[in-house]
mmCIF file of all heavy atoms in Angstrom:
data_model
loop_
_atom_site.group_PDB
_atom_site.id
_atom_site.type_symbol
_atom_site.label_atom_id
_atom_site.label_comp_id
_atom_site.label_asym_id
_atom_site.label_seq_id
_atom_site.Cartn_x
_atom_site.Cartn_y
_atom_site.Cartn_z
ATOM 1 N N SER A 30 118.439 147.187 100.881
ATOM 2 C CA SER A 30 118.809 147.342 102.281
ATOM 3 C C SER A 30 120.316 147.325 102.429
ATOM 4 O O SER A 30 121.035 146.798 101.604
ATOM 5 C CB SER A 30 118.186 146.226 103.107
ATOM 6 O OG SER A 30 118.705 144.981 102.690
ATOM 7 N N GLY A 32 123.419 146.645 105.481
ATOM 8 C CA GLY A 32 123.484 145.965 106.764
ATOM 9 C C GLY A 32 124.793 146.068 107.445
ATOM 10 O O GLY A 32 125.107 145.232 108.286
ATOM 11 N N LEU A 33 125.573 147.084 107.123
ATOM 12 C CA LEU A 33 126.888 147.158 107.728
ATOM 13 C C LEU A 33 126.815 147.443 109.223
ATOM 14 O O LEU A 33 127.447 146.771 110.014
ATOM 15 C CB LEU A 33 127.720 148.226 107.021
ATOM 16 C CG LEU A 33 128.316 147.822 105.683
ATOM 17 C CD1 LEU A 33 128.990 148.990 105.012
ATOM 18 C CD2 LEU A 33 129.288 146.676 105.848
ATOM 19 N N ASP A 58 102.679 150.471 98.798
ATOM 20 C CA ASP A 58 101.337 150.485 99.385
ATOM 21 C C ASP A 58 101.136 149.410 100.448
ATOM 22 O O ASP A 58 100.030 149.224 100.946
ATOM 23 C CB ASP A 58 100.276 150.355 98.290
ATOM 24 C CG ASP A 58 100.209 148.965 97.688
ATOM 25 O OD1 ASP A 58 101.190 148.205 97.824
ATOM 26 O OD2 ASP A 58 99.184 148.642 97.075
ATOM 27 N N TYR A 59 102.203 148.724 100.789
ATOM 28 C CA TYR A 59 102.090 147.683 101.799
ATOM 29 C C TYR A 59 103.373 147.661 102.591
ATOM 30 O O TYR A 59 104.472 147.731 102.021
ATOM 31 C CB TYR A 59 101.846 146.331 101.132
ATOM 32 C CG TYR A 59 101.825 145.156 102.076
ATOM 33 C CD1 TYR A 59 100.707 144.897 102.872
ATOM 34 C CD2 TYR A 59 102.913 144.308 102.167
ATOM 35 C CE1 TYR A 59 100.687 143.814 103.729
ATOM 36 C CE2 TYR A 59 102.903 143.227 103.024
ATOM 37 C CZ TYR A 59 101.784 142.984 103.806
ATOM 38 O OH TYR A 59 101.759 141.916 104.654
ATOM 39 N N TYR A 63 108.998 142.465 110.566
ATOM 40 C CA TYR A 63 109.436 141.122 110.900
ATOM 41 C C TYR A 63 110.386 141.163 112.087
ATOM 42 O O TYR A 63 111.122 142.128 112.275
ATOM 43 C CB TYR A 63 110.184 140.475 109.728
ATOM 44 C CG TYR A 63 109.324 140.050 108.569
ATOM 45 C CD1 TYR A 63 109.161 140.869 107.456
ATOM 46 C CD2 TYR A 63 108.678 138.820 108.577
ATOM 47 C CE1 TYR A 63 108.385 140.461 106.376
ATOM 48 C CE2 TYR A 63 107.897 138.409 107.499
ATOM 49 C CZ TYR A 63 107.755 139.233 106.413
ATOM 50 O OH TYR A 63 106.981 138.834 105.352
ATOM 51 N N GLN A 65 113.513 138.845 113.682
ATOM 52 C CA GLN A 65 114.407 137.741 113.371
ATOM 53 C C GLN A 65 115.319 137.455 114.553
ATOM 54 O O GLN A 65 116.124 138.297 114.944
ATOM 55 C CB GLN A 65 115.250 138.028 112.120
ATOM 56 C CG GLN A 65 116.059 136.822 111.667
ATOM 57 C CD GLN A 65 116.790 137.048 110.357
ATOM 58 O OE1 GLN A 65 117.116 138.159 110.004
ATOM 59 N NE2 GLN A 65 117.045 135.966 109.626
ATOM 60 N N GLY A 68 119.744 132.713 114.130
ATOM 61 C CA GLY A 68 119.634 131.363 113.587
ATOM 62 C C GLY A 68 118.259 131.006 113.042
ATOM 63 O O GLY A 68 118.021 129.852 112.670
ATOM 64 N N GLY A 70 114.599 132.256 110.621
ATOM 65 C CA GLY A 70 114.100 133.109 109.569
ATOM 66 C C GLY A 70 113.247 134.223 110.148
ATOM 67 O O GLY A 70 112.805 134.156 111.299
ATOM 68 N N PRO A 71 113.009 135.279 109.374
ATOM 69 C CA PRO A 71 112.155 136.374 109.852
ATOM 70 C C PRO A 71 110.747 135.880 110.182
ATOM 71 O O PRO A 71 110.184 135.069 109.450
ATOM 72 C CB PRO A 71 112.137 137.338 108.663
ATOM 73 C CG PRO A 71 113.391 137.041 107.904
ATOM 74 C CD PRO A 71 113.589 135.565 108.059
ATOM 75 N N PHE A 73 106.824 136.978 110.942
ATOM 76 C CA PHE A 73 105.827 138.037 110.730
ATOM 77 C C PHE A 73 105.322 138.586 112.055
ATOM 78 O O PHE A 73 104.978 137.824 112.966
ATOM 79 C CB PHE A 73 104.663 137.463 109.920
ATOM 80 C CG PHE A 73 103.497 138.390 109.760
ATOM 81 C CD1 PHE A 73 103.448 139.264 108.690
ATOM 82 C CD2 PHE A 73 102.437 138.373 110.658
ATOM 83 C CE1 PHE A 73 102.363 140.115 108.526
ATOM 84 C CE2 PHE A 73 101.356 139.222 110.509
ATOM 85 C CZ PHE A 73 101.329 140.083 109.434
ATOM 86 N N ASP A 76 101.355 143.904 109.812
ATOM 87 C CA ASP A 76 101.447 144.603 108.535
ATOM 88 C C ASP A 76 100.438 145.749 108.501
ATOM 89 O O ASP A 76 99.547 145.847 109.345
ATOM 90 C CB ASP A 76 101.247 143.662 107.347
ATOM 91 C CG ASP A 76 99.891 142.944 107.364
ATOM 92 O OD1 ASP A 76 99.095 143.158 108.308
ATOM 93 O OD2 ASP A 76 99.640 142.146 106.441
ATOM 94 N N ARG A 78 98.517 148.544 105.402
ATOM 95 C CA ARG A 78 98.419 149.038 104.029
ATOM 96 C C ARG A 78 98.446 150.560 104.032
ATOM 97 O O ARG A 78 98.192 151.199 105.053
ATOM 98 C CB ARG A 78 97.155 148.498 103.374
ATOM 99 C CG ARG A 78 97.248 146.998 103.131
ATOM 100 C CD ARG A 78 96.131 146.474 102.254
ATOM 101 N NE ARG A 78 96.290 145.035 102.046
ATOM 102 C CZ ARG A 78 96.920 144.506 101.020
ATOM 103 N NH1 ARG A 78 97.456 145.276 100.097
ATOM 104 N NH2 ARG A 78 97.026 143.195 100.897
ATOM 105 N N PHE A 116 113.001 144.071 111.351
ATOM 106 C CA PHE A 116 113.080 144.612 109.999
ATOM 107 C C PHE A 116 111.723 145.160 109.579
ATOM 108 O O PHE A 116 110.690 144.531 109.818
ATOM 109 C CB PHE A 116 113.443 143.521 108.988
ATOM 110 C CG PHE A 116 114.829 142.962 109.128
ATOM 111 C CD1 PHE A 116 115.043 141.797 109.852
ATOM 112 C CD2 PHE A 116 115.907 143.582 108.523
ATOM 113 C CE1 PHE A 116 116.319 141.257 109.979
ATOM 114 C CE2 PHE A 116 117.185 143.055 108.643
ATOM 115 C CZ PHE A 116 117.386 141.893 109.374
ATOM 116 N N ASN A 120 106.377 146.930 99.949
ATOM 117 C CA ASN A 120 106.082 146.345 98.652
ATOM 118 C C ASN A 120 105.323 147.359 97.807
ATOM 119 O O ASN A 120 104.466 148.089 98.321
ATOM 120 C CB ASN A 120 105.246 145.073 98.810
ATOM 121 C CG ASN A 120 105.361 144.160 97.595
ATOM 122 O OD1 ASN A 120 105.619 144.591 96.489
ATOM 123 N ND2 ASN A 120 105.170 142.881 97.824
ATOM 124 N N LEU A 121 105.645 147.376 96.538
ATOM 125 C CA LEU A 121 104.934 148.210 95.589
ATOM 126 C C LEU A 121 103.647 147.515 95.167
ATOM 127 O O LEU A 121 103.523 146.297 95.317
ATOM 128 C CB LEU A 121 105.812 148.460 94.358
ATOM 129 C CG LEU A 121 107.061 149.311 94.591
ATOM 130 C CD1 LEU A 121 107.991 149.213 93.396
ATOM 131 C CD2 LEU A 121 106.666 150.758 94.846
ATOM 132 N N PRO A 122 102.693 148.262 94.637
ATOM 133 C CA PRO A 122 101.469 147.613 94.142
ATOM 134 C C PRO A 122 101.791 146.588 93.066
ATOM 135 O O PRO A 122 102.741 146.760 92.293
ATOM 136 C CB PRO A 122 100.681 148.793 93.559
ATOM 137 C CG PRO A 122 101.214 149.994 94.224
ATOM 138 C CD PRO A 122 102.655 149.712 94.492
ATOM 139 N N TYR A 123 101.005 145.542 93.023
ATOM 140 C CA TYR A 123 101.203 144.498 92.017
ATOM 141 C C TYR A 123 100.694 144.992 90.663
ATOM 142 O O TYR A 123 99.570 144.771 90.287
ATOM 143 C CB TYR A 123 100.453 143.237 92.432
ATOM 144 C CG TYR A 123 101.208 142.376 93.402
ATOM 145 C CD1 TYR A 123 102.314 142.842 94.083
ATOM 146 C CD2 TYR A 123 100.804 141.076 93.646
ATOM 147 C CE1 TYR A 123 103.003 142.050 94.973
ATOM 148 C CE2 TYR A 123 101.478 140.270 94.530
ATOM 149 C CZ TYR A 123 102.579 140.756 95.200
ATOM 150 O OH TYR A 123 103.242 139.952 96.078
ATOM 151 N N GLY A 126 104.292 143.734 86.913
ATOM 152 C CA GLY A 126 105.145 142.575 87.111
ATOM 153 C C GLY A 126 106.441 142.816 87.819
ATOM 154 O O GLY A 126 107.180 141.872 88.095
ATOM 155 N N THR A 127 106.782 144.069 88.145
ATOM 156 C CA THR A 127 108.093 144.300 88.752
ATOM 157 C C THR A 127 108.049 144.247 90.270
ATOM 158 O O THR A 127 109.061 144.408 90.924
ATOM 159 C CB THR A 127 108.660 145.661 88.331
ATOM 160 O OG1 THR A 127 107.738 146.678 88.755
ATOM 161 C CG2 THR A 127 108.863 145.723 86.840
ATOM 162 N N SER A 128 106.868 144.038 90.817
ATOM 163 C CA SER A 128 106.774 144.061 92.270
ATOM 164 C C SER A 128 106.279 142.740 92.848
ATOM 165 O O SER A 128 106.288 142.562 94.059
ATOM 166 C CB SER A 128 105.829 145.182 92.709
ATOM 167 O OG SER A 128 104.561 144.991 92.124
ATOM 168 N N TYR A 129 105.888 141.800 92.003
ATOM 169 C CA TYR A 129 105.373 140.542 92.508
ATOM 170 C C TYR A 129 106.342 139.885 93.470
ATOM 171 O O TYR A 129 107.499 139.649 93.144
ATOM 172 C CB TYR A 129 105.086 139.567 91.363
ATOM 173 C CG TYR A 129 103.898 139.937 90.511
ATOM 174 C CD1 TYR A 129 104.042 140.158 89.154
ATOM 175 C CD2 TYR A 129 102.629 140.044 91.067
ATOM 176 C CE1 TYR A 129 102.952 140.480 88.372
ATOM 177 C CE2 TYR A 129 101.533 140.369 90.286
ATOM 178 C CZ TYR A 129 101.704 140.588 88.938
ATOM 179 O OH TYR A 129 100.626 140.917 88.165
ATOM 180 N N GLY A 130 105.820 139.598 94.666
ATOM 181 C CA GLY A 130 106.596 138.823 95.627
ATOM 182 C C GLY A 130 107.861 139.463 96.114
ATOM 183 O O GLY A 130 108.676 138.805 96.756
ATOM 184 N N LYS A 131 108.055 140.743 95.831
ATOM 185 C CA LYS A 131 109.315 141.387 96.175
ATOM 186 C C LYS A 131 109.113 142.352 97.327
ATOM 187 O O LYS A 131 108.567 143.436 97.145
ATOM 188 C CB LYS A 131 109.882 142.140 94.972
ATOM 189 C CG LYS A 131 111.181 142.888 95.303
ATOM 190 C CD LYS A 131 111.691 143.661 94.110
ATOM 191 C CE LYS A 131 112.957 144.445 94.461
ATOM 192 N NZ LYS A 131 113.467 145.216 93.299
ATOM 193 N N LEU A 132 109.587 141.957 98.495
ATOM 194 C CA LEU A 132 109.655 142.864 99.623
ATOM 195 C C LEU A 132 111.034 143.513 99.629
ATOM 196 O O LEU A 132 112.037 142.824 99.452
ATOM 197 C CB LEU A 132 109.435 142.114 100.938
ATOM 198 C CG LEU A 132 108.028 141.569 101.206
ATOM 199 C CD1 LEU A 132 108.028 140.706 102.451
ATOM 200 C CD2 LEU A 132 107.037 142.710 101.345
ATOM 201 N N PHE A 134 113.610 145.324 102.005
ATOM 202 C CA PHE A 134 113.823 145.377 103.443
ATOM 203 C C PHE A 134 114.689 146.554 103.860
ATOM 204 O O PHE A 134 115.613 146.960 103.160
ATOM 205 C CB PHE A 134 114.500 144.087 103.921
ATOM 206 C CG PHE A 134 113.565 142.923 104.020
ATOM 207 C CD1 PHE A 134 113.226 142.189 102.897
ATOM 208 C CD2 PHE A 134 113.020 142.568 105.240
ATOM 209 C CE1 PHE A 134 112.353 141.123 102.986
ATOM 210 C CE2 PHE A 134 112.145 141.498 105.344
ATOM 211 C CZ PHE A 134 111.802 140.771 104.220
ATOM 212 N N ARG B 35 119.487 122.561 105.902
ATOM 213 C CA ARG B 35 119.625 123.736 106.760
ATOM 214 C C ARG B 35 121.025 124.324 106.687
ATOM 215 O O ARG B 35 121.210 125.527 106.814
ATOM 216 C CB ARG B 35 119.293 123.360 108.210
ATOM 217 C CG ARG B 35 117.833 123.019 108.452
ATOM 218 C CD ARG B 35 116.933 124.252 108.285
ATOM 219 N NE ARG B 35 117.433 125.427 108.956
ATOM 220 C CZ ARG B 35 117.282 125.670 110.248
ATOM 221 N NH1 ARG B 35 116.617 124.807 111.018
ATOM 222 N NH2 ARG B 35 117.774 126.780 110.791
ATOM 223 N N SER B 59 108.948 133.205 97.213
ATOM 224 C CA SER B 59 110.001 134.193 96.957
ATOM 225 C C SER B 59 111.279 133.734 97.634
ATOM 226 O O SER B 59 111.247 133.124 98.707
ATOM 227 C CB SER B 59 109.607 135.562 97.519
ATOM 228 O OG SER B 59 108.470 136.070 96.878
ATOM 229 N N TYR B 61 115.202 134.954 98.985
ATOM 230 C CA TYR B 61 116.015 136.093 99.402
ATOM 231 C C TYR B 61 117.387 135.602 99.838
ATOM 232 O O TYR B 61 117.545 134.488 100.345
ATOM 233 C CB TYR B 61 115.379 136.824 100.588
ATOM 234 C CG TYR B 61 114.050 137.465 100.280
ATOM 235 C CD1 TYR B 61 112.863 136.732 100.345
ATOM 236 C CD2 TYR B 61 113.974 138.814 99.933
ATOM 237 C CE1 TYR B 61 111.641 137.324 100.068
ATOM 238 C CE2 TYR B 61 112.753 139.411 99.664
ATOM 239 C CZ TYR B 61 111.595 138.659 99.732
ATOM 240 O OH TYR B 61 110.387 139.250 99.458
ATOM 241 N N GLN B 63 120.458 136.691 102.434
ATOM 242 C CA GLN B 63 120.756 137.554 103.571
ATOM 243 C C GLN B 63 122.237 137.463 103.924
ATOM 244 O O GLN B 63 122.755 136.373 104.201
ATOM 245 C CB GLN B 63 119.916 137.183 104.796
ATOM 246 C CG GLN B 63 120.100 138.150 105.956
ATOM 247 C CD GLN B 63 119.176 137.858 107.124
ATOM 248 O OE1 GLN B 63 118.737 136.739 107.334
ATOM 249 N NE2 GLN B 63 118.852 138.902 107.883
ATOM 250 N N PRO B 65 125.527 139.816 106.077
ATOM 251 C CA PRO B 65 125.752 140.928 107.010
ATOM 252 C C PRO B 65 125.997 142.254 106.296
ATOM 253 O O PRO B 65 125.625 143.305 106.788
ATOM 254 C CB PRO B 65 126.989 140.485 107.789
ATOM 255 C CG PRO B 65 127.006 139.004 107.677
ATOM 256 C CD PRO B 65 126.447 138.708 106.313
ATOM 257 N N GLY B 66 126.595 142.194 105.128
ATOM 258 C CA GLY B 66 126.939 143.420 104.432
ATOM 259 C C GLY B 66 125.808 144.027 103.626
ATOM 260 O O GLY B 66 125.705 145.243 103.523
ATOM 261 N N GLN B 67 124.943 143.199 103.074
ATOM 262 C CA GLN B 67 123.871 143.676 102.183
ATOM 263 C C GLN B 67 122.476 143.507 102.742
ATOM 264 O O GLN B 67 121.500 143.974 102.154
ATOM 265 C CB GLN B 67 123.960 142.959 100.833
ATOM 266 C CG GLN B 67 125.246 143.228 100.067
ATOM 267 C CD GLN B 67 125.401 144.691 99.700
ATOM 268 O OE1 GLN B 67 124.444 145.340 99.278
ATOM 269 N NE2 GLN B 67 126.596 145.216 99.882
ATOM 270 N N GLY B 68 122.362 142.819 103.850
ATOM 271 C CA GLY B 68 121.032 142.609 104.413
ATOM 272 C C GLY B 68 120.235 141.605 103.598
ATOM 273 O O GLY B 68 120.791 140.707 102.975
ATOM 274 N N LEU B 69 118.940 141.783 103.594
ATOM 275 C CA LEU B 69 118.038 140.879 102.873
ATOM 276 C C LEU B 69 117.786 141.424 101.474
ATOM 277 O O LEU B 69 117.273 142.525 101.311
ATOM 278 C CB LEU B 69 116.699 140.773 103.598
ATOM 279 C CG LEU B 69 116.653 139.826 104.773
ATOM 280 C CD1 LEU B 69 115.825 140.395 105.907
ATOM 281 C CD2 LEU B 69 116.060 138.494 104.311
ATOM 282 N N GLN B 70 118.121 140.631 100.470
ATOM 283 C CA GLN B 70 117.932 141.056 99.093
ATOM 284 C C GLN B 70 117.112 140.024 98.324
ATOM 285 O O GLN B 70 117.359 138.819 98.422
ATOM 286 C CB GLN B 70 119.282 141.269 98.415
ATOM 287 C CG GLN B 70 120.057 142.445 98.996
ATOM 288 C CD GLN B 70 121.245 142.817 98.134
ATOM 289 O OE1 GLN B 70 122.163 142.022 97.970
ATOM 290 N NE2 GLN B 70 121.209 143.999 97.560
ATOM 291 N N PHE B 71 116.197 140.516 97.538
ATOM 292 C CA PHE B 71 115.270 139.691 96.763
ATOM 293 C C PHE B 71 115.982 139.041 95.582
ATOM 294 O O PHE B 71 116.682 139.721 94.818
ATOM 295 C CB PHE B 71 114.130 140.580 96.281
ATOM 296 C CG PHE B 71 113.173 139.941 95.333
ATOM 297 C CD1 PHE B 71 112.186 139.078 95.793
ATOM 298 C CD2 PHE B 71 113.234 140.216 93.979
ATOM 299 C CE1 PHE B 71 111.283 138.506 94.913
ATOM 300 C CE2 PHE B 71 112.336 139.653 93.092
ATOM 301 C CZ PHE B 71 111.359 138.798 93.565
ATOM 302 N N GLU B 74 110.833 135.437 92.410
ATOM 303 C CA GLU B 74 109.542 134.962 92.898
ATOM 304 C C GLU B 74 108.891 134.083 91.854
ATOM 305 O O GLU B 74 108.979 134.365 90.647
ATOM 306 C CB GLU B 74 108.617 136.138 93.231
ATOM 307 C CG GLU B 74 107.303 135.739 93.902
ATOM 308 C CD GLU B 74 106.103 135.730 92.974
ATOM 309 O OE1 GLU B 74 106.265 135.903 91.740
ATOM 310 O OE2 GLU B 74 104.971 135.552 93.491
ATOM 311 N N ARG B 81 107.708 135.270 88.079
ATOM 312 C CA ARG B 81 107.022 136.532 87.820
ATOM 313 C C ARG B 81 107.930 137.738 88.032
ATOM 314 O O ARG B 81 107.668 138.819 87.510
ATOM 315 C CB ARG B 81 105.809 136.697 88.735
ATOM 316 C CG ARG B 81 104.668 135.769 88.450
ATOM 317 C CD ARG B 81 103.386 136.222 89.134
ATOM 318 N NE ARG B 81 103.506 136.298 90.581
ATOM 319 C CZ ARG B 81 102.498 136.594 91.383
ATOM 320 N NH1 ARG B 81 101.318 136.873 90.868
ATOM 321 N NH2 ARG B 81 102.655 136.632 92.685
ATOM 322 N N ASN B 82 108.972 137.545 88.830
ATOM 323 C CA ASN B 82 109.799 138.689 89.168
ATOM 324 C C ASN B 82 111.206 138.209 89.477
ATOM 325 O O ASN B 82 111.402 137.087 89.962
ATOM 326 C CB ASN B 82 109.212 139.433 90.384
ATOM 327 C CG ASN B 82 109.697 140.856 90.494
ATOM 328 O OD1 ASN B 82 110.473 141.339 89.667
ATOM 329 N ND2 ASN B 82 109.237 141.554 91.515
ATOM 330 N N LEU B 116 116.910 132.442 102.203
ATOM 331 C CA LEU B 116 115.578 132.341 102.794
ATOM 332 C C LEU B 116 114.529 132.233 101.713
ATOM 333 O O LEU B 116 114.611 132.921 100.697
ATOM 334 C CB LEU B 116 115.297 133.587 103.638
ATOM 335 C CG LEU B 116 116.162 133.759 104.891
ATOM 336 C CD1 LEU B 116 116.206 135.222 105.315
ATOM 337 C CD2 LEU B 116 115.622 132.903 106.025
ATOM 338 N N GLY B 123 98.746 135.870 93.970
ATOM 339 C CA GLY B 123 97.744 136.801 93.493
ATOM 340 C C GLY B 123 98.033 138.189 94.012
ATOM 341 O O GLY B 123 99.130 138.707 93.842
ATOM 342 N N SER B 124 97.093 138.782 94.723
ATOM 343 C CA SER B 124 97.303 140.141 95.233
ATOM 344 C C SER B 124 97.729 140.147 96.693
ATOM 345 O O SER B 124 97.764 141.182 97.341
ATOM 346 C CB SER B 124 96.019 140.952 95.089
ATOM 347 O OG SER B 124 94.995 140.331 95.844
ATOM 348 N N SER B 125 98.091 138.979 97.218
ATOM 349 C CA SER B 125 98.494 138.900 98.622
ATOM 350 C C SER B 125 99.963 139.232 98.787
ATOM 351 O O SER B 125 100.825 138.671 98.124
ATOM 352 C CB SER B 125 98.231 137.492 99.159
ATOM 353 O OG SER B 125 98.800 137.347 100.443
ATOM 354 N N TYR B 126 100.270 140.146 99.698
ATOM 355 C CA TYR B 126 101.647 140.536 99.922
ATOM 356 C C TYR B 126 102.289 139.805 101.098
ATOM 357 O O TYR B 126 103.503 139.696 101.181
ATOM 358 C CB TYR B 126 101.720 142.031 100.253
ATOM 359 C CG TYR B 126 101.169 142.946 99.195
ATOM 360 C CD1 TYR B 126 99.917 143.520 99.327
ATOM 361 C CD2 TYR B 126 101.923 143.266 98.078
ATOM 362 C CE1 TYR B 126 99.422 144.389 98.369
ATOM 363 C CE2 TYR B 126 101.437 144.136 97.121
ATOM 364 C CZ TYR B 126 100.193 144.695 97.270
ATOM 365 O OH TYR B 126 99.715 145.564 96.323
ATOM 366 N N GLU B 127 101.460 139.330 102.017
ATOM 367 C CA GLU B 127 101.951 138.791 103.276
ATOM 368 C C GLU B 127 102.783 137.546 103.035
ATOM 369 O O GLU B 127 102.305 136.565 102.473
ATOM 370 C CB GLU B 127 100.744 138.454 104.155
ATOM 371 C CG GLU B 127 101.043 138.217 105.598
ATOM 372 C CD GLU B 127 99.729 138.091 106.383
ATOM 373 O OE1 GLU B 127 98.825 138.917 106.148
ATOM 374 O OE2 GLU B 127 99.618 137.157 107.186
ATOM 375 N N GLN B 128 104.048 137.596 103.462
ATOM 376 C CA GLN B 128 104.960 136.490 103.235
ATOM 377 C C GLN B 128 105.400 135.880 104.554
ATOM 378 O O GLN B 128 105.682 136.596 105.520
ATOM 379 C CB GLN B 128 106.202 136.974 102.467
ATOM 380 C CG GLN B 128 105.892 137.454 101.056
ATOM 381 C CD GLN B 128 107.138 137.834 100.288
ATOM 382 O OE1 GLN B 128 108.260 137.462 100.638
ATOM 383 N NE2 GLN B 128 106.943 138.567 99.204
ATOM 384 N N TYR B 129 105.503 134.560 104.547
ATOM 385 C CA TYR B 129 105.962 133.811 105.711
ATOM 386 C C TYR B 129 107.264 133.093 105.361
ATOM 387 O O TYR B 129 107.325 132.407 104.351
ATOM 388 C CB TYR B 129 104.890 132.812 106.154
ATOM 389 C CG TYR B 129 103.632 133.498 106.619
ATOM 390 C CD1 TYR B 129 102.601 133.789 105.724
ATOM 391 C CD2 TYR B 129 103.488 133.907 107.944
ATOM 392 C CE1 TYR B 129 101.460 134.460 106.138
ATOM 393 C CE2 TYR B 129 102.343 134.561 108.373
ATOM 394 C CZ TYR B 129 101.334 134.838 107.460
ATOM 395 O OH TYR B 129 100.211 135.510 107.875
ATOM 396 N N PHE B 130 108.232 133.283 106.217
ATOM 397 C CA PHE B 130 109.564 132.789 105.919
ATOM 398 C C PHE B 130 109.867 131.428 106.536
ATOM 399 O O PHE B 130 109.358 131.078 107.609
ATOM 400 C CB PHE B 130 110.624 133.781 106.439
ATOM 401 C CG PHE B 130 110.793 134.979 105.560
ATOM 402 C CD1 PHE B 130 109.940 136.065 105.659
ATOM 403 C CD2 PHE B 130 111.817 135.018 104.623
ATOM 404 C CE1 PHE B 130 110.097 137.174 104.836
ATOM 405 C CE2 PHE B 130 111.990 136.125 103.799
ATOM 406 C CZ PHE B 130 111.122 137.195 103.902
ATOM 407 N N GLY B 131 110.735 130.699 105.849
ATOM 408 C CA GLY B 131 111.287 129.486 106.397
ATOM 409 C C GLY B 131 112.509 129.793 107.242
ATOM 410 O O GLY B 131 112.899 130.960 107.366
ATOM 411 N N PRO B 132 113.157 128.770 107.792
ATOM 412 C CA PRO B 132 114.314 128.985 108.664
ATOM 413 C C PRO B 132 115.592 129.324 107.915
ATOM 414 O O PRO B 132 116.562 129.790 108.515
ATOM 415 C CB PRO B 132 114.450 127.647 109.382
ATOM 416 C CG PRO B 132 113.876 126.654 108.430
ATOM 417 C CD PRO B 132 112.742 127.364 107.723
#
Side-chain angles (χ1 to χ4, degrees):
Chain A
S30 63
L33 282 174
D58 72 340
Y59 175 77
Y63 287 96
Q65 188 174 27
F73 173 89
D76 59 359
R78 291 191 179 267
F116 293 96
N120 202 333
L121 293 167
Y123 277 15
T127 59
S128 58
Y129 289 121
K131 177 182 178 180
L132 291 173
F134 283 81
Chain B
R35 292 292 314 279
S59 296
Y61 296 85
Q63 186 175 26
Q67 297 297 317
L69 279 141
Q70 293 192 297
F71 173 78
E74 187 258 7
R81 291 195 300 184
N82 200 1
L116 294 157
S124 61
S125 171
Y126 301 102
E127 195 172 315
Q128 295 184 18
Y129 296 90
F130 282 83

